[in-house]
Amino acid sequence: GINAEYMGMMVDELGIQPEDEDESGPLRSGIIMFIAFVIFGAVPLLAYVPRHTPISAFPLSCLLTMLCLAVLGFLKTGLTFGFRPVGRIIKGGLQMLTNGIVAASVSYGVSYVISNLVMSSAPASVAIS
């Protein structure tokens, strides 16, 4: 728990009310995170389930990923702050989508640069065509 002296300072000086401690918090949070990871992590793979060529499945997988990020952002914002006003929910979804796009772009760019560095420094007999 929080020290009584700090508890008094939080309430009296800062006007912050402490949250009730939930004993099932870490376990419950872990289970929720696991379920969300399995569900939202599996959706982009659905593009590869039908017999598409990988060329047509990749853009579909990207679209499904963006859809999942937006939905996850909508849900996160709604469950955290409530589902009203709608503008807040839309902003949360777009924020999650933007973060995901930036993260994916940066990781792709870094891997592209590293791949080119490795391939340019490899001997010709080792280089993969």
Side-chain angles (χ1 to χ4, degrees):
I2 299 176
N3 186 324
E5 179 183 338
Y6 295 116
M7 182 78 73
M9 185 186 338
M10 285 175 47
V11 174
D12 297 336
E13 295 179 18
L14 302 174
I16 300 173
Q17 294 297 323
E19 295 182 19
D20 294 333
E21 292 186 21
D22 184 10
E23 296 297 323
S24 67
L27 178 62
R28 182 173 176 262
S29 295
I31 291 170
I32 290 171
M33 288 298 295
F34 174 76
I35 291 170
F37 179 77
V38 169
I39 292 171
F40 285 96
V43 170
L45 299 176
L46 294 176
Y48 295 94
V49 173
R51 299 196 189 270
H52 290 293
T53 62
I55 294 170
S56 65
F58 182 71
L60 180 59
S61 179
C62 290
L63 288 173
L64 289 173
T65 301
M66 292 189 310
L67 177 67
C68 282
L69 285 169
V71 168
L72 191 59
F74 297 149
L75 290 174
K76 178 193 71 107
T77 304
L79 293 173
T80 302
F81 299 108
F83 288 95
R84 296 280 184 229
V86 176
R88 181 185 295 174
I89 305 298
I90 293 171
K91 181 181 176 185
L94 292 175
Q95 201 170 28
M96 180 77 80
L97 176 61
T98 302
N99 287 341
I101 290 171
V102 169
S105 299
V106 168
S107 63
Y108 179 82
V110 168
S111 67
Y112 181 80
V113 168
I114 291 174
S115 173
N116 284 336
L117 288 174
V118 169
M119 294 307 289
S120 66
S121 65
S125 62
V126 179
I128 302 171
S129 56

